[in-house]
Amino acid sequence: MTKPNVVPLAVAAAFGAGLAICSKYVLKLQKKKPLRVLITGAAGQIGYALAPQVAVGSMLGADQPIILHLLDVEPAKNALEGLRMELVDGAYPLLEGVLTFTDVAAACKGVDVAVMVGGYPRKAGEERKDVMAKNVSIYQQQASALEANASKDVKVVVVANPANTNALILAENAPSIPRENITCLTRLDHNRALGQVAERTGSHVGSVKNVIIWGNHSSTQYPDVNHGTVAGKPIRAVVNDDTWLNGDFITTVQQRGAAIIKARGLSSALSAANAVCNHVRDWVRGTPSGSWTSMGVVSDGSYGVQRGLVYSYPVTCSGGKWKVVQGLPIDGPSRERLRVTEAELVEERDLALQCLAEKK
């Protein structure tokens, strides 16, 4: 009598169990309502890097189905279609649909997350006021479209520079969207600070926590390590070089974008896309216990910053809400850096409001 073939039976049992687990996972995905994610300026470098990261779950999680809304201007229509084709060819399990638009109102219909990458970049020979006026016009239109068409709890992150002031313009022109739902991206600067400390100390970047980016997403921003740690020890103690931390570290983070343009001839795209996903993921799914991140949010007056400015603070996130970390001691030199970057934001705000007034 032939002995039962035990190994194939065991393999079959394991295979069956695996199929059952996969089936449950697929059913779970099918039961979860897809979220609609808008990317403006989607045919550009950042959009090209960002869309697949959203599609694989880097932004909203590996269990969240997605429908992408990709928006760009009419001249970019063919490039936008090419991106849509590549996303279809990627066969991403989470991606339930890819829609392309050149009309902003249609693109905003029902979106749950809006990533505002599109904007007017400053060109050689252009005055700041001219650039600001163009961005005021763009963000007025996009604010109106979001307010009229997006989900009532839409979460907005502005990436296009000047990011803080573009977010302020959007907030001013979309009064029915809760102010706390309009943010700008300083997570890229935050990640750059983490990377610099990790590289300097020879540590894994995951062991570096609680750096802060204060203020504007510009060369006046203040990358602050005074409350941060490396493997649980104060950054200043581990680095053991205050001259570097108070000098080259700060300027390297402040000017990293320009350094990347000089090195590759193009602006940051991959790291910016990753930072957008980090920003939204922490906002929606929560920051890890004991950690904070940096986000540009509408100031409530915390740390003496003027109310209403879109200012980067340390925040924790839980239940889809952010909260400014309160009570951190701020030394004299740090206080002055917070004031300098605030002053720049006040200047930008006043210029933007002047442009708004002139349009009326």
Side-chain angles (χ1 to χ4, degrees), residues 189-206:
D189 308 301
H190 184 98
N191 287 350
R192 286 167 172 168
L194 294 175
Q196 287 300 304
V197 171
E199 197 169 50
R200 184 76 174 190
T201 59
S203 306
H204 189 279
V205 71

Side-chain angles (χ1 to χ4, degrees), residues 331-348:
D331 62 25
S334 295
R335 179 67 63 186
E336 176 60 19
R337 288 184 181 276
L338 266 65
R339 189 201 63 77
V340 167
T341 194
E342 178 188 7
E344 183 182 52
L345 284 169
V346 169
E347 181 184 350
E348 286 187 9

Side-chain angles (χ1 to χ4, degrees), residues 25-344:
Y25 181 68
V26 170
L27 284 171
K28 184 179 178 183
L29 288 180
Q30 289 173 342
K31 289 176 183 176
K32 201 162 188 178
K33 179 186 175 183
L35 294 179
R36 294 177 181 268
V37 177
L38 167 67
I39 303 173
T40 74
Q45 276 202 99
I46 294 175
Y48 189 80
L50 176 59
Q53 291 199 39
V54 177
V56 298
S58 296
M59 175 181 282
L60 294 168
D63 61 346
Q64 179 58 63
I66 295 294
I67 297 173
L68 278 172
H69 288 214
L70 306 177
L71 171 69
D72 218 309
V73 293
E74 187 69 29
K77 189 173 182 178
N78 288 341
L80 203 58
E81 174 60 14
L83 175 56
R84 187 198 69 81
M85 292 163 65
E86 286 206 69
L87 288 164
V88 171
D89 294 349
Y92 299 101
L94 292 173
L95 192 57
E96 294 201 359
V98 185
L99 306 175
T100 62
F101 303 89
T102 56
D103 178 77
V104 64
C108 291
K109 188 69 174 176
V111 298
D112 302 288
V113 176
V115 184
M116 317 304 284
V117 180
Y120 184 85
R122 188 174 182 177
K123 297 177 182 177
E126 289 186 317
E127 297 295 328
R128 285 182 67 229
K129 185 177 179 182
D130 296 331
V131 177
M132 186 68 77
K134 288 183 171 68
N135 276 304
V136 162
S137 181
I138 291 169
Y139 277 85
Q140 268 190 313
Q141 182 187 22
Q142 293 183 344
S144 297
L146 282 168
E147 187 173 42
N149 297 286
S151 162
K152 294 306 177 187
D153 193 38
V154 63
K155 287 179 165 52
V156 182
V157 52
V158 177
V159 180
N161 289 319
N164 298 60
T165 301
N166 285 341
L168 183 147
I169 294 165
L170 197 153
E172 290 290 330
N173 287 277
S176 71
I177 298 177
R179 286 292 179 104
E180 62 269 21
N181 282 22
I182 297 172
T183 67
C184 81
L185 185 73
T186 56
R187 181 59 176 264
L188 177 55
D189 308 301
H190 184 98
N191 287 350
R192 286 167 172 168
L194 294 175
Q196 287 300 304
V197 171
E199 197 169 50
R200 184 76 174 190
T201 59
S203 306
H204 189 279
V205 71
S207 70
V208 186
K209 300 184 185 304
N210 295 349
V211 299
I212 303 168
I213 302 298
W214 298 98
N216 201 3
H217 175 62
S218 74
S219 60
T220 69
Q221 66 177 258
Y222 175 37
D224 180 3
V225 299
N226 290 325
H227 313 283
T229 59
V230 178
K233 299 177 182 177
I235 287 175
R236 286 197 178 274
V238 177
V239 171
N240 195 28
D241 187 346
D242 283 349
T243 300
W244 180 77
L245 285 171
N246 296 335
D248 286 350
F249 163 74
I250 291 174
T251 55
T252 296
V253 176
Q254 289 174 333
Q255 299 171 14
R256 189 66 161 185
I260 288 171
I261 290 173
K262 184 177 179 180
R264 68 187 294 260
L266 296 166
S267 59
S268 304
L270 181 63
S271 57
N274 178 66
V276 170
C277 289
N278 294 163
H279 175 110
V280 177
R281 185 187 64 238
D282 281 354
W283 189 2
V284 172
R285 299 176 75 91
T287 46
S289 178
S291 296
W292 60 65
T293 186
S294 300
M295 290 173 61
V297 300
V298 178
S299 171
D300 63 355
S302 293
Y303 295 96
V305 174
Q306 284 191 37
R307 289 178 177 272
L309 290 178
V310 176
Y311 192 94
S312 182
Y313 283 106
V315 303
T316 56
C317 303
S318 179
K321 306 289 185 183
W322 56 262
K323 183 179 180 182
V324 174
V325 177
Q326 299 291 345
L328 296 174
I330 308 295
D331 62 25
S334 295
R335 179 67 63 186
E336 176 60 19
R337 288 184 181 276
L338 266 65
R339 189 201 63 77
V340 167
T341 194
E342 178 188 7
E344 183 182 52

